[in-house]
Amino acid sequence: MTVPTVEREERPAPATDDDRPAVLDVRGLWKVFGQRAERVVGTPLATLDRAELKRATGCVAAVRDVSFSVRRGEVFVVMGLSGSGKSTLVRCLNRLIEPTAGQVLLDGEDVLGYAGKRLRELRRHRFGMVFQHFGLLPHRRVLDNVAFGLEIRGVKKADRLARAQEVLELVGLAGFEGSYPDQLSGGMQQRVGLARALAVDPEVLFFDEPFSALDPLIRREMQNEVIRLHHEVGKTMIFITHDLSEALKLGDRILIMRDGALVQMGTPDEVVGAPADDYVRDFVSDVPRSDVLTLRWIMRDATPDDPLDGPELGPDTVIRDAVRTVLSARRPVKVVRDGRLLGVVTTAEVLEVIAGAGGQS
Amino acid sequence: MVAVSAPVTRRLPSRSYLTGAVLLAWIALWVLLNGRDTLPLGGAQLTPLHTRFGEGADVIDANRDSNPVFLYFVNYIRLFIDATVTFVQALISQPSFGRPVPLVGWLGVTGVATAIAYLYGNRKVAVLTAAGFVSFGLLGLWEESMDTLALTLTAVALSLAVGIPLGVWAGLSDRFNRVVTPVLDFMQTMPTFVYLAPLTLFFLIGPASATVATMIYAIPPAIRLTAHGIRQTPPATLEAAEALGVTGGQSLRKVRLPLAKQTIVVGINQTIMAALSMATIAALIDAPGLGKTVLKALQTLDVGTAFNAGLAIVIMAIVLDRVTSAASRRVEIAHRTGRSGRRRLRRMETAATAVAAVVLVYLSYTYVWAAEFPAGADLGSYVRRGADAASGWVQETLVAYTNGLKNAITYALLNPFEALLAGSPWWLVAVVAVALALLLAGVRASITAAVGCVLLVALGLWHDSMVTLATTLVATLLVMVLGVVLGVWMGRSDRVDRVLRPVLDAGQTMPAFVYLVPILGLFGATRFTAIIAAVVFAAPVSVKLVAEGIRGVPHTAVEAATAGGASTWQLISKVQLPMARAGITLAASQGLIYVLSMVVVGGLVGAGALGYDVVAGFSQYQLRGKGLAAGLAIVVLGIVLDRIMRAAAARAGGSSATR
Ligand SMILES: Nc1ncnc2c1ncn2[C@@H]1O[C@H](COP(=O)(O)OP(=O)(O)O)[C@@H](O)[C@H]1O
Ligand SMILES: [Mg+2]
């Protein structure tokens, strides 16, 4: 852990920490759009792929049998091309879209059974959501927009405005309380959207491609903002994106979807290092692997000829951060965890990754 | 259709050949059969059906105080509305509460109106309002103007009280929207004129009938625009609110309604303008106010008096339109006057304005000079004399031109059309109508045409209907010529658009009635006057629709043709007009509906036929049944024409989209 500079190091929850409890447990979730959609699930029709199903029944299977669980405090990213069902998936979780089949367990309780008041309470207190197109109320000031969630909950005016002010400061918008949404830039509007979601202090935050509509520079700034907020408030986040670099940058774990189905789920380095199929491989082919993969992925077993007096590094060190150490060591670098030697890394392995970066076969 | 005609590529030409063939065959047969089976009916002649309608009306009259539907429902509505109108009249227009003057005099009314204009609009429209109201007094028409205002405001208040909730419902519920849309379509296509007579059967002659008639005409825009505003809430905003856990009521109150506010205010504006228009036409069923003055003057061909009262109507229309337009713009910026300092200032301003208005009301309640408009400044008589003189001068001096135009159109268009339609045997016209509807608009429209023809014959008014139809078609033709020429010009040039659009907007806000006046001054009382009034009335909407169609032609298509070296004329005739076909057909169908309603009003100034039958039904007891039948005939004509045009428009839109 010698060069702790990059954002990835700052993430509070290393991916290896597997024993935290699941907040949200999604099991066998289906969403089929179309008439008499319920006849699809659990029948031979369910085995057809999306195009075949559409031809056979006219229904669109937007989400097909997806299961995953999200741990408390985790940033869980769902990634896929446009149309792969990400938005539908996340909307099934807070029931903006009614799933066709499956279970969504929040702390072990299935929220699909909720209706009316209970469902509203769930949305008011436990879930928050940030949207791609902000969804702000143009006739309200920024402060009133942020306080909106508290307002509909029935919080008194003075209290909710005080809380809204607090959250506005948290997202760096102090001084813009009295502005109207259309007087703000896209990035600032999305900060308002973020503040609105945070104001009700939810347990789980959903983000549906929140930064896709923003300029690249602003997008980067906002990504860092999310990382900072996650650091400060430590919320569980489910983050939708179609942008791999965003997914790698933010996600503790990444779920990749194609045509509604789960293709692969894992930590960023698992996704890049061991793509499950050609779809994922294509996706990650442009990623500089040395920026994502850790030493774990390239170390080899130590042979008796290896001199073992070189420097030590942890297995979760990103290759890019290890390059200087490895190249200047002139001998194999030991990969050590808890005092145990896991393997060694030499110049040869590092150079292979760097040379192959971007253009792997 | 496709199966019976030639291959797909040749469908269009073959259809227009067939249409031409039908028309030629019609003319050939007309030469042979001219004058046979034309089913004419003299002005005072009645068919058994008309007699029966009259008897039916008598039955309703006789049972008004015994039939439970009347006793427990209709009569209560009538009493309620009558009482409301009378109350508003007592406030501002009629002597009341044992006083020789209304409760609030001219100064008070002007003060309140100006204050409202200032608070909801801006300083400019406030000045306009003050000037407008003072001018009612100066024209010597204070009481009449206030009667019109009272009727209009009552109808508007009731329309909004009913229309906005219905609009919200239609905005929220797809099913209700599907039910209500055709009803509104029907209410809006029915020429305003025709429901007056049936209404008097239920609500008697007087304020209640006038108010209900006005509401029928004025409610659709309130419902439509409210529904539209509610519907157009951005889905992203709704979704965000829902994700926060709003209830249905919260989503309506805090999201949909505030966002729809501006659209709703536009709807209120349209409702007010429609109400004013109808409140003047309701003079036909004895509604008090300016309309009555115009009507009486029209009937005696007193151009000066008609012009004077018409001027007051125009002023009222302008004031109401400007104030509500300013109010809708105000909604947009209202919330921007946010910061607390400005807010306090605004509150003080509001209070001061209100106090000033109250003081003026008190003065006008207490002192005669503030209650009755001073009689000394009588601008009205100057206006009357001036208009008389101008009309006389114009008729004398321009007689060569006006007669030339009149004769050209009468002999070149109107007479041939009328001869062909009214001179052919009825069954020939019916067959031609069905065939043309089939060719141009499809099977359903042709069935409508067939049913319509049968109904017209059954109503005993075939000949009159054909005369009215001829006038309508000629006027529509002229409207379309004007519409295409001006519309293309407007659609192609932003500058022309900027100049023309305000004129057209102003034209559209004028109540239908006032168009008759200057044209009567120019051309005297003839069929032709009705045609020109109809053209003036209908042209704005058609011009705008054509211009929109031309503007809607994709820029790339125009660019490609220009790059290919097309001349301006080629560009218009080969690219823009064909591609704007759907818009042009829509313009024709809208224009036709407007024309029809105006041609009927033209019955007042010598257009004869169905319009005359309706008017005669109002004034002569024994022609009552015939008047009702004529009203039905107008509705039948309107529906048939509207259906055919719509189907043809849909077809034109469809075929241009597939190309
Ligand atoms: N309301 C709907 N009705 C029918 N099909 C829908 C609906 N919403 C989404 N879909 C379809 O479901 C699929 C997934 O859509 P979506 O979840 O929006 O994908 P993503 O967010 O990954 O771009 C798409 O093929 C889309 O066309
Ligand atoms: Mg999406």
Side-chain angles (χ1 to χ4, degrees), chain A residues 91 96 120 123-124 131 135-140 148 151-152 178 180 182 196, chain B residues 236-237 239-247 250 254-255 258-259 335-336 338-339:
Chain A
R91 279 167 178 71
L96 289 176
R120 275 200 304 278
R123 290 176 179 161
R124 286 180 181 185
F131 297 85
L136 301 178
L137 296 171
H139 61 288
R140 287 170 171 242
F148 188 57
E151 177 179 339
I152 59 177
Y180 285 86
D182 58 6
R196 178 178 62 187
Chain B
T237 311
E239 194 178 38
E242 203 180 329
L244 286 166
V246 288
T247 61
Q250 282 173 329
K254 292 174 192 279
V255 181
L259 291 184
H335 59 264
R336 298 284 148 100
R339 317 263 146 57

mmCIF file of all heavy atoms in Angstrom, chain A residues 91 96 120 123-124 131 135-140 148 151-152 178 180 182 196, chain B residues 236-237 239-247 250 254-255 258-259 335-336 338-339:
data_model
loop_
_atom_site.group_PDB
_atom_site.id
_atom_site.type_symbol
_atom_site.label_atom_id
_atom_site.label_comp_id
_atom_site.label_asym_id
_atom_site.label_seq_id
_atom_site.Cartn_x
_atom_site.Cartn_y
_atom_site.Cartn_z
ATOM 1 N N ARG A 91 -36.540 0.314 -11.205
ATOM 2 C CA ARG A 91 -37.893 0.773 -10.886
ATOM 3 C C ARG A 91 -38.753 -0.338 -10.286
ATOM 4 O O ARG A 91 -39.742 -0.064 -9.617
ATOM 5 C CB ARG A 91 -38.559 1.345 -12.134
ATOM 6 C CG ARG A 91 -38.122 2.777 -12.392
ATOM 7 C CD ARG A 91 -38.521 3.263 -13.769
ATOM 8 N NE ARG A 91 -38.133 4.652 -13.979
ATOM 9 C CZ ARG A 91 -36.890 5.075 -14.138
ATOM 10 N NH1 ARG A 91 -35.898 4.195 -14.085
ATOM 11 N NH2 ARG A 91 -36.618 6.343 -14.328
ATOM 12 N N LEU A 96 -41.897 1.579 -8.842
ATOM 13 C CA LEU A 96 -42.422 2.523 -9.817
ATOM 14 C C LEU A 96 -42.939 1.719 -10.998
ATOM 15 O O LEU A 96 -43.804 2.149 -11.745
ATOM 16 C CB LEU A 96 -41.338 3.504 -10.276
ATOM 17 C CG LEU A 96 -40.925 4.531 -9.230
ATOM 18 C CD1 LEU A 96 -39.781 5.390 -9.727
ATOM 19 C CD2 LEU A 96 -42.104 5.396 -8.837
ATOM 20 N N ARG A 120 -46.250 3.718 0.153
ATOM 21 C CA ARG A 120 -45.855 5.130 0.214
ATOM 22 C C ARG A 120 -44.878 5.369 1.349
ATOM 23 O O ARG A 120 -43.880 6.078 1.204
ATOM 24 C CB ARG A 120 -47.086 6.010 0.409
ATOM 25 C CG ARG A 120 -47.777 6.361 -0.886
ATOM 26 C CD ARG A 120 -48.655 7.573 -0.720
ATOM 27 N NE ARG A 120 -49.636 7.429 0.347
ATOM 28 C CZ ARG A 120 -50.797 6.804 0.209
ATOM 29 N NH1 ARG A 120 -51.123 6.277 -0.951
ATOM 30 N NH2 ARG A 120 -51.627 6.715 1.208
ATOM 31 N N ARG A 123 -41.482 4.321 0.353
ATOM 32 C CA ARG A 123 -40.816 5.274 -0.533
ATOM 33 C C ARG A 123 -40.457 6.545 0.208
ATOM 34 O O ARG A 123 -39.455 7.195 -0.087
ATOM 35 C CB ARG A 123 -41.737 5.617 -1.699
ATOM 36 C CG ARG A 123 -41.937 4.483 -2.670
ATOM 37 C CD ARG A 123 -42.939 4.913 -3.707
ATOM 38 N NE ARG A 123 -43.185 3.885 -4.696
ATOM 39 C CZ ARG A 123 -44.270 3.888 -5.470
ATOM 40 N NH1 ARG A 123 -45.169 4.849 -5.343
ATOM 41 N NH2 ARG A 123 -44.436 2.949 -6.379
ATOM 42 N N ARG A 124 -41.272 6.927 1.169
ATOM 43 C CA ARG A 124 -41.028 8.187 1.857
ATOM 44 C C ARG A 124 -39.854 8.094 2.815
ATOM 45 O O ARG A 124 -39.150 9.059 3.044
ATOM 46 C CB ARG A 124 -42.265 8.591 2.659
ATOM 47 C CG ARG A 124 -43.376 9.097 1.791
ATOM 48 C CD ARG A 124 -44.564 9.481 2.637
ATOM 49 N NE ARG A 124 -45.639 9.954 1.769
ATOM 50 C CZ ARG A 124 -46.784 10.445 2.223
ATOM 51 N NH1 ARG A 124 -46.983 10.517 3.530
ATOM 52 N NH2 ARG A 124 -47.695 10.863 1.401
ATOM 53 N N PHE A 131 -32.745 10.732 -10.679
ATOM 54 C CA PHE A 131 -33.137 10.381 -12.043
ATOM 55 C C PHE A 131 -32.228 11.006 -13.091
ATOM 56 O O PHE A 131 -31.635 12.059 -12.863
ATOM 57 C CB PHE A 131 -34.565 10.853 -12.313
ATOM 58 C CG PHE A 131 -35.575 10.182 -11.443
ATOM 59 C CD1 PHE A 131 -35.842 10.666 -10.177
ATOM 60 C CD2 PHE A 131 -36.237 9.054 -11.872
ATOM 61 C CE1 PHE A 131 -36.764 10.053 -9.360
ATOM 62 C CE2 PHE A 131 -37.157 8.426 -11.067
ATOM 63 C CZ PHE A 131 -37.425 8.926 -9.806
ATOM 64 N N GLY A 135 -36.116 15.546 -12.958
ATOM 65 C CA GLY A 135 -37.487 15.529 -12.461
ATOM 66 C C GLY A 135 -37.744 16.571 -11.387
ATOM 67 O O GLY A 135 -38.503 16.342 -10.452
ATOM 68 N N LEU A 136 -37.118 17.740 -11.516
ATOM 69 C CA LEU A 136 -37.344 18.794 -10.515
ATOM 70 C C LEU A 136 -38.649 19.526 -10.820
ATOM 71 O O LEU A 136 -39.170 19.466 -11.932
ATOM 72 C CB LEU A 136 -36.183 19.792 -10.543
ATOM 73 C CG LEU A 136 -34.809 19.181 -10.274
ATOM 74 C CD1 LEU A 136 -33.729 20.238 -10.381
ATOM 75 C CD2 LEU A 136 -34.778 18.520 -8.912
ATOM 76 N N LEU A 137 -39.167 20.212 -9.816
ATOM 77 C CA LEU A 137 -40.389 20.989 -10.003
ATOM 78 C C LEU A 137 -40.009 22.414 -10.410
ATOM 79 O O LEU A 137 -39.457 23.158 -9.605
ATOM 80 C CB LEU A 137 -41.205 21.015 -8.705
ATOM 81 C CG LEU A 137 -41.725 19.651 -8.265
ATOM 82 C CD1 LEU A 137 -42.326 19.735 -6.877
ATOM 83 C CD2 LEU A 137 -42.749 19.133 -9.260
ATOM 84 N N PRO A 138 -40.311 22.796 -11.641
ATOM 85 C CA PRO A 138 -39.813 24.083 -12.151
ATOM 86 C C PRO A 138 -40.418 25.289 -11.446
ATOM 87 O O PRO A 138 -39.855 26.360 -11.492
ATOM 88 C CB PRO A 138 -40.206 24.061 -13.632
ATOM 89 C CG PRO A 138 -41.290 23.060 -13.732
ATOM 90 C CD PRO A 138 -41.069 22.061 -12.650
ATOM 91 N N HIS A 139 -41.580 25.097 -10.801
ATOM 92 C CA HIS A 139 -42.217 26.254 -10.184
ATOM 93 C C HIS A 139 -41.789 26.451 -8.741
ATOM 94 O O HIS A 139 -42.297 27.316 -8.063
ATOM 95 C CB HIS A 139 -43.732 26.121 -10.267
ATOM 96 C CG HIS A 139 -44.253 24.914 -9.556
ATOM 97 N ND1 HIS A 139 -44.084 23.636 -10.037
ATOM 98 C CD2 HIS A 139 -44.907 24.787 -8.383
ATOM 99 C CE1 HIS A 139 -44.629 22.776 -9.197
ATOM 100 N NE2 HIS A 139 -45.138 23.451 -8.186
ATOM 101 N N ARG A 140 -40.858 25.637 -8.270
ATOM 102 C CA ARG A 140 -40.408 25.776 -6.892
ATOM 103 C C ARG A 140 -38.938 26.154 -6.838
ATOM 104 O O ARG A 140 -38.153 25.723 -7.669
ATOM 105 C CB ARG A 140 -40.579 24.451 -6.149
ATOM 106 C CG ARG A 140 -42.006 24.147 -5.850
ATOM 107 C CD ARG A 140 -42.107 22.737 -5.350
ATOM 108 N NE ARG A 140 -43.446 22.501 -4.860
ATOM 109 C CZ ARG A 140 -43.719 22.180 -3.596
ATOM 110 N NH1 ARG A 140 -42.747 22.017 -2.732
ATOM 111 N NH2 ARG A 140 -44.954 22.000 -3.222
ATOM 112 N N PHE A 148 -39.098 18.914 -0.723
ATOM 113 C CA PHE A 148 -40.360 18.350 -1.195
ATOM 114 C C PHE A 148 -40.682 17.003 -0.549
ATOM 115 O O PHE A 148 -41.812 16.755 -0.127
ATOM 116 C CB PHE A 148 -40.318 18.218 -2.718
ATOM 117 C CG PHE A 148 -41.623 17.817 -3.324
ATOM 118 C CD1 PHE A 148 -42.763 18.568 -3.121
ATOM 119 C CD2 PHE A 148 -41.724 16.665 -4.106
ATOM 120 C CE1 PHE A 148 -43.980 18.199 -3.673
ATOM 121 C CE2 PHE A 148 -42.927 16.303 -4.672
ATOM 122 C CZ PHE A 148 -44.050 17.066 -4.450
ATOM 123 N N GLU A 151 -41.883 17.553 2.792
ATOM 124 C CA GLU A 151 -43.192 18.213 2.772
ATOM 125 C C GLU A 151 -44.304 17.184 2.633
ATOM 126 O O GLU A 151 -45.290 17.219 3.361
ATOM 127 C CB GLU A 151 -43.228 19.217 1.622
ATOM 128 C CG GLU A 151 -44.562 19.914 1.450
ATOM 129 C CD GLU A 151 -44.544 20.912 0.311
ATOM 130 O OE1 GLU A 151 -43.443 21.360 -0.080
ATOM 131 O OE2 GLU A 151 -45.628 21.231 -0.210
ATOM 132 N N ILE A 152 -44.138 16.268 1.667
ATOM 133 C CA ILE A 152 -45.220 15.308 1.474
ATOM 134 C C ILE A 152 -45.293 14.312 2.627
ATOM 135 O O ILE A 152 -46.279 13.638 2.814
ATOM 136 C CB ILE A 152 -45.082 14.548 0.138
ATOM 137 C CG1 ILE A 152 -43.778 13.803 0.094
ATOM 138 C CG2 ILE A 152 -45.217 15.480 -1.030
ATOM 139 C CD1 ILE A 152 -43.627 12.989 -1.146
ATOM 140 N N GLY A 178 -32.529 30.140 -3.249
ATOM 141 C CA GLY A 178 -33.656 30.884 -3.822
ATOM 142 C C GLY A 178 -33.725 30.817 -5.328
ATOM 143 O O GLY A 178 -34.618 31.398 -5.942
ATOM 144 N N TYR A 180 -34.255 29.150 -9.138
ATOM 145 C CA TYR A 180 -35.196 28.197 -9.717
ATOM 146 C C TYR A 180 -34.414 27.213 -10.575
ATOM 147 O O TYR A 180 -33.360 27.568 -11.131
ATOM 148 C CB TYR A 180 -36.260 28.934 -10.522
ATOM 149 C CG TYR A 180 -37.242 29.596 -9.610
ATOM 150 C CD1 TYR A 180 -37.002 30.862 -9.105
ATOM 151 C CD2 TYR A 180 -38.360 28.899 -9.185
ATOM 152 C CE1 TYR A 180 -37.884 31.448 -8.220
ATOM 153 C CE2 TYR A 180 -39.239 29.476 -8.295
ATOM 154 C CZ TYR A 180 -39.000 30.749 -7.818
ATOM 155 O OH TYR A 180 -39.865 31.297 -6.929
ATOM 156 N N ASP A 182 -34.457 26.108 -13.531
ATOM 157 C CA ASP A 182 -33.971 26.413 -14.880
ATOM 158 C C ASP A 182 -32.905 27.505 -14.878
ATOM 159 O O ASP A 182 -32.389 27.871 -15.931
ATOM 160 C CB ASP A 182 -35.143 26.775 -15.798
ATOM 161 C CG ASP A 182 -35.936 27.955 -15.288
ATOM 162 O OD1 ASP A 182 -35.512 28.561 -14.289
ATOM 163 O OD2 ASP A 182 -36.971 28.286 -15.890
ATOM 164 N N ARG A 196 -32.366 16.319 -2.918
ATOM 165 C CA ARG A 196 -33.761 15.974 -2.647
ATOM 166 C C ARG A 196 -33.862 14.525 -2.158
ATOM 167 O O ARG A 196 -34.618 14.211 -1.241
ATOM 168 C CB ARG A 196 -34.597 16.150 -3.916
ATOM 169 C CG ARG A 196 -36.044 15.777 -3.729
ATOM 170 C CD ARG A 196 -36.834 16.019 -4.977
ATOM 171 N NE ARG A 196 -36.346 15.205 -6.079
ATOM 172 C CZ ARG A 196 -36.779 15.308 -7.330
ATOM 173 N NH1 ARG A 196 -37.696 16.207 -7.626
ATOM 174 N NH2 ARG A 196 -36.303 14.548 -8.274
ATOM 175 N N ALA B 236 -41.038 12.524 -16.158
ATOM 176 C CA ALA B 236 -39.900 12.443 -15.241
ATOM 177 C C ALA B 236 -40.234 13.105 -13.911
ATOM 178 O O ALA B 236 -39.881 12.585 -12.846
ATOM 179 C CB ALA B 236 -38.678 13.117 -15.873
ATOM 180 N N THR B 237 -40.940 14.226 -13.969
ATOM 181 C CA THR B 237 -41.302 14.929 -12.736
ATOM 182 C C THR B 237 -42.290 14.112 -11.921
ATOM 183 O O THR B 237 -42.165 13.977 -10.701
ATOM 184 C CB THR B 237 -41.921 16.289 -13.083
ATOM 185 O OG1 THR B 237 -41.074 16.940 -14.016
ATOM 186 C CG2 THR B 237 -42.086 17.142 -11.856
ATOM 187 N N GLU B 239 -42.686 10.927 -11.990
ATOM 188 C CA GLU B 239 -42.028 9.731 -11.486
ATOM 189 C C GLU B 239 -41.202 10.066 -10.252
ATOM 190 O O GLU B 239 -41.229 9.341 -9.255
ATOM 191 C CB GLU B 239 -41.136 9.161 -12.590
ATOM 192 C CG GLU B 239 -40.669 7.776 -12.307
ATOM 193 C CD GLU B 239 -39.839 7.251 -13.456
ATOM 194 O OE1 GLU B 239 -39.068 8.030 -14.039
ATOM 195 O OE2 GLU B 239 -39.961 6.051 -13.752
ATOM 196 N N ALA B 240 -40.513 11.210 -10.339
ATOM 197 C CA ALA B 240 -39.699 11.613 -9.196
ATOM 198 C C ALA B 240 -40.579 11.831 -7.972
ATOM 199 O O ALA B 240 -40.226 11.414 -6.863
ATOM 200 C CB ALA B 240 -38.936 12.891 -9.530
ATOM 201 N N ALA B 241 -41.731 12.464 -8.185
ATOM 202 C CA ALA B 241 -42.637 12.702 -7.056
ATOM 203 C C ALA B 241 -43.140 11.375 -6.507
ATOM 204 O O ALA B 241 -43.224 11.172 -5.298
ATOM 205 C CB ALA B 241 -43.797 13.588 -7.492
ATOM 206 N N GLU B 242 -43.445 10.466 -7.426
ATOM 207 C CA GLU B 242 -43.975 9.182 -6.980
ATOM 208 C C GLU B 242 -42.932 8.408 -6.182
ATOM 209 O O GLU B 242 -43.249 7.770 -5.183
ATOM 210 C CB GLU B 242 -44.429 8.372 -8.192
ATOM 211 C CG GLU B 242 -45.458 7.327 -7.834
ATOM 212 C CD GLU B 242 -45.879 6.541 -9.059
ATOM 213 O OE1 GLU B 242 -45.865 7.111 -10.167
ATOM 214 O OE2 GLU B 242 -46.195 5.362 -8.899
ATOM 215 N N ALA B 243 -41.682 8.506 -6.637
ATOM 216 C CA ALA B 243 -40.622 7.808 -5.919
ATOM 217 C C ALA B 243 -40.460 8.362 -4.509
ATOM 218 O O ALA B 243 -39.963 7.686 -3.628
ATOM 219 C CB ALA B 243 -39.308 7.929 -6.683
ATOM 220 N N LEU B 244 -40.888 9.604 -4.309
ATOM 221 C CA LEU B 244 -40.811 10.173 -2.970
ATOM 222 C C LEU B 244 -42.018 9.779 -2.125
ATOM 223 O O LEU B 244 -42.094 10.124 -0.957
ATOM 224 C CB LEU B 244 -40.729 11.691 -3.059
ATOM 225 C CG LEU B 244 -39.385 12.260 -3.525
ATOM 226 C CD1 LEU B 244 -39.524 13.711 -3.901
ATOM 227 C CD2 LEU B 244 -38.343 12.092 -2.443
ATOM 228 N N GLY B 245 -42.991 9.113 -2.767
ATOM 229 C CA GLY B 245 -44.134 8.617 -2.002
ATOM 230 C C GLY B 245 -45.311 9.564 -1.918
ATOM 231 O O GLY B 245 -45.988 9.609 -0.904
ATOM 232 N N VAL B 246 -45.576 10.332 -2.970
ATOM 233 C CA VAL B 246 -46.740 11.218 -2.927
ATOM 234 C C VAL B 246 -48.023 10.401 -3.032
ATOM 235 O O VAL B 246 -48.058 9.338 -3.642
ATOM 236 C CB VAL B 246 -46.744 12.239 -4.086
ATOM 237 C CG1 VAL B 246 -45.695 13.283 -3.884
ATOM 238 C CG2 VAL B 246 -46.606 11.547 -5.416
ATOM 239 N N THR B 247 -49.086 10.933 -2.439
ATOM 240 C CA THR B 247 -50.407 10.352 -2.655
ATOM 241 C C THR B 247 -50.968 10.932 -3.939
ATOM 242 O O THR B 247 -50.410 11.884 -4.499
ATOM 243 C CB THR B 247 -51.356 10.730 -1.514
ATOM 244 O OG1 THR B 247 -51.474 12.155 -1.495
ATOM 245 C CG2 THR B 247 -50.835 10.262 -0.183
ATOM 246 N N GLN B 250 -51.719 14.603 -3.464
ATOM 247 C CA GLN B 250 -50.522 15.443 -3.420
ATOM 248 C C GLN B 250 -49.943 15.635 -4.804
ATOM 249 O O GLN B 250 -49.516 16.725 -5.160
ATOM 250 C CB GLN B 250 -49.469 14.795 -2.510
ATOM 251 C CG GLN B 250 -49.748 14.984 -1.033
ATOM 252 C CD GLN B 250 -48.773 14.185 -0.189
ATOM 253 O OE1 GLN B 250 -48.307 13.120 -0.596
ATOM 254 N NE2 GLN B 250 -48.479 14.686 0.992
ATOM 255 N N LYS B 254 -49.703 19.371 -5.813
ATOM 256 C CA LYS B 254 -48.372 19.951 -5.704
ATOM 257 C C LYS B 254 -47.562 19.827 -6.978
ATOM 258 O O LYS B 254 -46.547 20.497 -7.145
ATOM 259 C CB LYS B 254 -47.606 19.288 -4.561
ATOM 260 C CG LYS B 254 -48.194 19.629 -3.199
ATOM 261 C CD LYS B 254 -47.484 18.837 -2.118
ATOM 262 C CE LYS B 254 -48.223 18.915 -0.807
ATOM 263 N NZ LYS B 254 -47.955 20.143 -0.066
ATOM 264 N N VAL B 255 -47.945 18.912 -7.872
ATOM 265 C CA VAL B 255 -47.158 18.742 -9.087
ATOM 266 C C VAL B 255 -47.968 19.104 -10.325
ATOM 267 O O VAL B 255 -47.644 20.046 -11.042
ATOM 268 C CB VAL B 255 -46.631 17.298 -9.206
ATOM 269 C CG1 VAL B 255 -45.786 17.157 -10.457
ATOM 270 C CG2 VAL B 255 -45.817 16.935 -7.979
ATOM 271 N N PRO B 258 -49.938 22.925 -10.352
ATOM 272 C CA PRO B 258 -49.043 24.076 -10.531
ATOM 273 C C PRO B 258 -48.383 24.089 -11.904
ATOM 274 O O PRO B 258 -48.246 25.147 -12.509
ATOM 275 C CB PRO B 258 -47.986 23.878 -9.437
ATOM 276 C CG PRO B 258 -48.612 22.999 -8.434
ATOM 277 C CD PRO B 258 -49.594 22.142 -9.159
ATOM 278 N N LEU B 259 -48.009 22.925 -12.399
ATOM 279 C CA LEU B 259 -47.342 22.896 -13.696
ATOM 280 C C LEU B 259 -48.333 23.190 -14.821
ATOM 281 O O LEU B 259 -47.954 23.668 -15.883
ATOM 282 C CB LEU B 259 -46.679 21.535 -13.940
ATOM 283 C CG LEU B 259 -45.477 21.245 -13.052
ATOM 284 C CD1 LEU B 259 -44.829 19.924 -13.434
ATOM 285 C CD2 LEU B 259 -44.456 22.351 -13.153
ATOM 286 N N HIS B 335 -44.011 33.399 -9.878
ATOM 287 C CA HIS B 335 -43.250 32.850 -8.772
ATOM 288 C C HIS B 335 -41.824 33.387 -8.731
ATOM 289 O O HIS B 335 -41.113 33.190 -7.773
ATOM 290 C CB HIS B 335 -43.251 31.328 -8.849
ATOM 291 C CG HIS B 335 -42.672 30.790 -10.112
ATOM 292 N ND1 HIS B 335 -43.430 30.437 -11.181
ATOM 293 C CD2 HIS B 335 -41.387 30.567 -10.454
ATOM 294 C CE1 HIS B 335 -42.640 29.991 -12.146
ATOM 295 N NE2 HIS B 335 -41.411 30.066 -11.731
ATOM 296 N N ARG B 336 -41.422 34.028 -9.813
ATOM 297 C CA ARG B 336 -40.057 34.556 -9.837
ATOM 298 C C ARG B 336 -39.883 35.787 -8.961
ATOM 299 O O ARG B 336 -38.784 36.213 -8.689
ATOM 300 C CB ARG B 336 -39.660 34.933 -11.276
ATOM 301 C CG ARG B 336 -39.666 33.760 -12.209
ATOM 302 C CD ARG B 336 -38.420 32.932 -11.946
ATOM 303 N NE ARG B 336 -38.691 31.532 -12.197
ATOM 304 C CZ ARG B 336 -38.354 30.896 -13.297
ATOM 305 N NH1 ARG B 336 -37.718 31.510 -14.231
ATOM 306 N NH2 ARG B 336 -38.640 29.633 -13.437
ATOM 307 N N GLY B 338 -39.904 36.087 -6.237
ATOM 308 C CA GLY B 338 -39.650 35.377 -4.989
ATOM 309 C C GLY B 338 -39.221 36.176 -3.769
ATOM 310 O O GLY B 338 -40.030 36.422 -2.889
ATOM 311 N N ARG B 339 -37.991 36.653 -3.755
ATOM 312 C CA ARG B 339 -37.347 37.134 -2.530
ATOM 313 C C ARG B 339 -38.262 37.957 -1.630
ATOM 314 O O ARG B 339 -39.072 38.743 -2.095
ATOM 315 C CB ARG B 339 -36.103 37.960 -2.876
ATOM 316 C CG ARG B 339 -35.256 37.365 -3.955
ATOM 317 C CD ARG B 339 -34.101 36.570 -3.404
ATOM 318 N NE ARG B 339 -33.771 35.437 -4.236
ATOM 319 C CZ ARG B 339 -33.436 35.473 -5.531
ATOM 320 N NH1 ARG B 339 -33.376 36.613 -6.162
ATOM 321 N NH2 ARG B 339 -33.161 34.378 -6.192
#
